[in-house]
Amino acid sequence: MSEAPHLTFDLDSPGVSTGHLVVPKGADCDSLSLPVFSCNRGEGPSLLITGGNHGNELQGPVLARRLVEWLPEAQTCGRIIIVPEINPLAVQAWTRNTPIDGKNLNRVFPGRSDGSVSERIADAISRILLPMVDTVLDLHSFGPTWDCAPSIISHPIADIDQMTKTVSISKAFKLPVTLLWEHNETDGMFDTCVHRQGKTFICTEFGGGVVSAEALTLYEAGVRNGLIALGLVAGKAEYPTFRQQKSGQTLETTASDQLKSPSPGIFEPRCSVMDEVKQGDVVGVLHPMGSLSAASIDIRAQSKSIVFAIRSAMYVQSDEEVAILARPLAH
Ligand SMILES: [Zn+2]
């Protein structure tokens, strides 16, 4: 019989403690020990913060380390558990998916104890850490081939109360964008697993392959706002400055708001995130390769929109996403 996932320390100890979440070995690799930080200040809300779900989104793990530094002083009540890198194998390889089994950790929740390593990680988190909290904050950054607006993203949730609560707490982060993303492929997502346990899930997205000091400052300010709103940290929440503005807006995007490449080629962005575009505006240009007589193709907005995310210049295949547009959320 194989070992069960477990913690190497008592998370119920008062104050700050650290240890590991052990993901048992399987047929494909040895056991993993994920570092876990806990700050337990007694009664109050309980929050799990995770980074490194996707291994090529390193803003999350970096921010998690910053939180570990200042939370012991700042946290006034409740419980915060932080796992800076929930998929260390992908972080070390700087890949979205886990290199050993090729799986996207964010599509295999709640996982399987007898599955491949991604599934065993998901199983350990779902079974050991999730039952101890009422809210999860998963730190993402959209991946290295994109630029995206600093944002909190939610997918539509069937339970209206849960949806209302999620949007309300998301707005309290006071980031430039709170986005409702209609997504058809939510099966296996961490979100879905957390919702099934009746808990709140919040996901941040900070785009770009570059971990910049400016973006991290904004990211940290947003997360601090969120912790204040959750009642875990004292202080006054304020909008951080982004593009000379201190404000936020709530947007929605659906499948029809995604612009795709009409053919293979090099995608050249012609807009920046948060730009407003109207119907017919050129969002980017696709440059075919192999012949200079083949004309470049304009990729245009279908309607009045805001550019939420756009690909960095890169070679794309036919029908690949190159931009995600959004519109103010209709109530
Ligand atoms: Zn991600």
Side-chain angles (χ1 to χ4, degrees):
M1 176 147 170
S2 65
E3 180 188 28
H6 62 276
L7 287 162
T8 60
F9 67 119
D10 182 8
L11 266 182
D12 288 329
S13 311
V16 173
S17 49
T18 57
H20 291 87
L21 173 65
V22 176
V23 179
K25 70 177 181 184
D28 53 359
C29 77
D30 209 346
S31 63
L32 302 175
S33 287
L34 314 185
V36 177
F37 162 94
S38 165
C39 186
N40 187 359
R41 299 275 184 239
E43 289 296 306
S46 52
L47 173 70
L48 169 65
I49 301 176
T50 49
N53 186 331
H54 291 135
N56 56 5
E57 301 176 15
L58 298 187
Q59 286 88 337
V62 173
L63 179 63
R65 296 295 172 133
R66 289 193 181 190
L67 297 175
V68 166
E69 297 278 316
W70 58 256
L71 266 177
E73 283 288 314
Q75 188 182 332
T76 54
C77 67
R79 161 184 279 169
I80 298 180
I81 302 168
I82 301 178
V83 187
E85 299 101 22
I86 58 172
N87 193 349
L89 299 169
V91 169
Q92 284 159 20
W94 204 62
T95 52
R96 181 174 175 82
N97 293 358
T98 314
I100 288 174
D101 60 12
K103 290 184 177 166
N104 179 344
L105 175 58
N106 206 27
R107 295 295 183 280
V108 299
F109 277 89
R112 288 170 50 154
S113 60
D114 60 349
S116 66
V117 64
S118 301
E119 293 166 322
R120 296 199 304 278
I121 293 172
D123 175 67
I125 292 165
S126 316
R127 278 205 283 155
I128 306 294
L129 297 181
L130 269 192
M132 309 185 88
V133 298
D134 45 45
T135 304
V136 174
L137 170 59
D138 196 23
L139 308 169
H140 286 253
S141 51
F142 228 76
T145 67
W146 288 87
D147 190 12
C148 90
S151 55
I152 300 263
I153 293 185
S154 304
H155 305 298
I157 308 166
D159 184 317
I160 300 297
D161 287 347
Q162 208 171 37
M163 185 79 248
T164 306
K165 191 175 174 189
T166 301
V167 171
S168 168
I169 187 68
S170 297
K171 285 180 177 174
F173 279 65
K174 296 187 180 295
L175 286 169
V177 171
T178 299
L179 182 74
L180 192 60
W181 187 329
E182 200 179 297
H183 206 302
N184 297 328
E185 296 162 25
T186 53
D187 209 34
M189 278 186 165
F190 197 6
D191 319 28
T192 310
C193 171
V194 174
H195 292 149
R196 285 200 179 122
Q197 291 197 17
K199 297 163 193 278
T200 303
F201 184 90
I202 305 153
C203 169
T204 54
E205 292 282 4
F206 277 72
V210 178
V211 181
S212 76
E214 185 186 15
L216 278 173
T217 300
L218 191 80
Y219 205 166
E220 189 172 10
V223 169
R224 185 188 289 269
N225 286 340
L227 296 179
I228 292 169
L230 285 165
L232 288 156
V233 165
K236 186 171 179 296
E238 286 184 22
Y239 281 100
T241 305
F242 179 65
R243 304 262 168 89
Q244 285 88 46
Q245 292 192 357
K246 281 179 171 283
S247 60
Q249 49 189 320
T250 306
L251 307 176
E252 63 179 332
T253 186
T254 64
S256 63
D257 292 309
Q258 295 175 9
L259 301 184
K260 296 190 172 178
S261 53
S263 62
I266 297 170
F267 175 71
E268 174 197 347
R270 287 281 177 92
C271 290
S272 301
V273 294
M274 303 303 290
D275 279 357
E276 290 183 17
V277 292
K278 52 186 193 306
Q279 187 179 15
D281 281 355
V282 176
V283 174
V285 176
L286 200 280
H287 303 290
M289 288 167 58
S291 166
L292 287 175
S293 61
S296 298
I297 305 163
D298 291 342
I299 300 172
R300 297 175 184 275
Q302 302 298 310
S303 61
K304 186 173 181 237
S305 314
I306 294 160
V307 178
F308 169 70
I310 191 158
R311 271 262 155 91
S312 309
M314 67 174 291
Y315 183 80
V316 291
Q317 302 296 336
S318 186
D319 209 32
E320 201 169 331
E321 286 173 16
V322 290
I324 296 170
L325 307 185
R327 290 156 284 105
L329 180 65
H331 292 283

